[in-house]
Amino acid sequence: MKLSILGCYSATPRTLNNTTSQVLEINNHMFLIDCGEGTQVQLRKHKIKFNRIKHIFISHLHGDHFFGLVGLISTFRLLTRETDLHIYGPKGIKEIVTLQMKLADSWTNYNLIFHELTSTKSELIFEDEKVEVHTIPLNHRVYTNGFLFKEKEGLRKLDINAVEKAKINVAYYRKLTQGFDVENEEGELIKNETVTFPGVKPKSYAFCSDTMYKEDIIPIIQDADVLYHESTFLEQHAHLAVRTKHSTAKEAARIAKKAQVRTLILGHYSTRYDGIEGFKKEALSVFENVELAEDGKTFDF
């Protein structure tokens, strides 16, 4: 699982700071999460093969999270893309994108498929044989979701000594790796867990975009390997977090601790601060494994 931060600041792009966008590579998927202004420039700058992107997830319709989307869609058209592109986001995103394309007479030459979201409860929005994606309902000034990306359980590993001792025919090895109980050569039913080991532990990544402190997301993100949680403000400006429905670094750390995630990544910093080390310092007072998102930074988990 590899996470590439393309932008992680709030409100407006600056000379050296970009607004929210990131790429998650998980089980041969390349998912684009949010698409702030300048995202396609960042994709090129960091040499990410963005033609592999087939699914884009937009958390909410504030400009610093989706103003780069129409530009990216248009670039795909100019590059004669043929692969379908799926966009998941709040109701209204289809109208915004298609209106600009209509007025510019710039329809795509590939299928652009919108999945508009309206539910205030967590729901499964993408699934294949290896990965599933669930929404994380958040509390911001407009309808907003985070996203939980989860690998499915992989194949189990054979305990070959136990398998041979149990006299299981090789024809059933595949079913064993899939978790099934099987009969041995003597017609006896052999329990799967007695002749196999668990496969590689599936990984999960929780992206929590703009939101105020919201404890009811904890059951959804419980035990996630990595949690990205917005931390727009430091505690000295907690009153601004309440007013704008954002979080402080310390509040993000409280969520991480209560959800028992493995690693917390902070981001969506307000540019009112001279640096970002203060965010990590505050979070570390609550939760011990804290990383700072920075434009161009990658994380391998």
Side-chain angles (χ1 to χ4, degrees):
M1 187 167 70
K2 179 180 180 181
L3 179 69
S4 299
I5 306 296
L6 304 180
C8 58
Y9 284 79
S10 64
T12 61
R14 305 280 179 111
T15 304
L16 299 175
N17 306 135
N18 291 277
T19 52
T20 302
S21 185
Q22 49 188 248
V23 170
L24 179 69
E25 297 178 60
I26 180 172
N27 235 315
N28 295 319
H29 285 287
M30 182 175 280
F31 294 131
L32 180 64
I33 309 169
D34 275 349
C35 191
E37 185 177 347
T39 291
Q40 62 176 312
V41 175
Q42 288 292 88
L43 287 167
R44 292 181 183 278
K45 180 179 178 180
H46 299 292
K47 296 180 172 55
I48 295 173
K49 296 179 179 179
F50 58 90
N51 60 307
R52 288 183 53 207
I53 295 171
K54 299 178 182 178
H55 303 271
I56 300 176
F57 299 85
I58 302 297
S59 62
H60 64 295
L61 296 181
H62 279 164
D64 55 334
H65 294 261
F66 86 100
F67 275 173
L69 182 59
V70 170
L72 183 61
I73 289 171
S74 297
T75 293
F76 282 142
R77 172 180 175 270
L78 294 173
L79 295 177
T80 64
R81 178 190 178 105
E82 296 181 354
T83 307
D84 294 354
L85 181 64
H86 294 260
I87 298 174
Y88 305 78
K91 183 175 177 59
I93 195 166
K94 179 178 180 178
E95 180 181 1
I96 290 171
V97 172
T98 55
L99 177 61
Q100 292 189 64
M101 294 167 59
K102 175 184 176 181
L103 295 178
D105 193 20
S106 298
W107 298 107
T108 62
N109 51 330
Y110 57 89
N111 291 323
L112 190 57
I113 304 163
F114 292 92
H115 305 263
E116 293 195 309
L117 308 174
T118 59
S119 177
T120 56
K121 295 182 179 180
S122 180
E123 58 181 339
L124 177 66
I125 58 172
F126 170 82
E127 182 180 23
D128 66 7
E129 68 278 5
K130 293 183 177 180
V131 178
E132 58 187 34
V133 183
H134 298 255
T135 57
I136 306 171
L138 300 175
N139 186 358
H140 192 41
R141 300 191 306 278
V142 296
Y143 176 76
T144 306
N145 285 300
F147 303 102
L148 176 66
F149 301 84
K150 298 171 60 178
E151 288 183 324
K152 292 186 175 180
E153 291 282 348
L155 296 177
R156 295 182 66 82
K157 297 179 181 179
L158 297 179
D159 179 348
I160 198 65
N161 291 330
V163 169
E164 291 176 350
K165 185 177 180 180
K167 299 180 180 179
I168 299 173
N169 191 289
V170 67
Y172 292 106
Y173 284 9
R174 176 66 178 172
K175 291 186 72 68
L176 285 175
T177 63
Q178 294 173 334
F180 292 100
D181 299 335
V182 301
E183 288 188 355
N184 66 5
E185 295 173 351
E186 297 173 354
E188 178 185 0
L189 184 66
I190 305 298
K191 291 291 185 181
N192 187 279
E193 61 268 21
T194 66
V195 292
T196 65
F197 300 114
V200 176
K201 182 180 180 295
K203 295 179 180 178
S204 58
Y205 172 64
F207 170 83
C208 288
S209 171
D210 298 18
T211 183
M212 65 187 302
Y213 183 77
K214 191 171 189 283
E215 286 193 357
D216 59 5
I217 70 172
I218 290 171
I220 303 171
I221 66 174
Q222 188 75 38
D223 300 320
D225 289 279
V226 185
L227 166 65
Y228 173 95
H229 196 291
E230 75 117 289
S231 54
T232 308
F233 298 104
L234 297 177
E235 281 298 302
Q236 69 189 88
H237 294 117
H239 62 288
L240 294 179
V242 173
R243 183 191 307 169
T244 59
K245 289 198 170 183
H246 282 297
S247 297
T248 66
K250 189 170 285 188
E251 287 175 330
R254 291 192 190 113
I255 293 293
K257 184 175 183 178
K258 291 184 178 183
Q260 298 179 300
V261 303
R262 193 178 76 186
T263 300
L264 168 66
I265 300 177
L266 300 176
H268 201 264
Y269 318 111
S270 169
T271 53
R272 70 177 54 241
Y273 304 105
D274 292 333
I276 60 176
E277 284 301 321
F279 292 90
K280 186 171 185 177
K281 182 178 179 181
E282 282 198 357
L284 283 171
S285 69
V286 176
F287 185 75
E288 62 182 9
N289 196 6
V290 180
E291 300 281 354
L292 293 174
E294 295 183 64
D295 292 11
K297 189 172 183 178
T298 60
F299 299 89
D300 289 284
F301 298 96

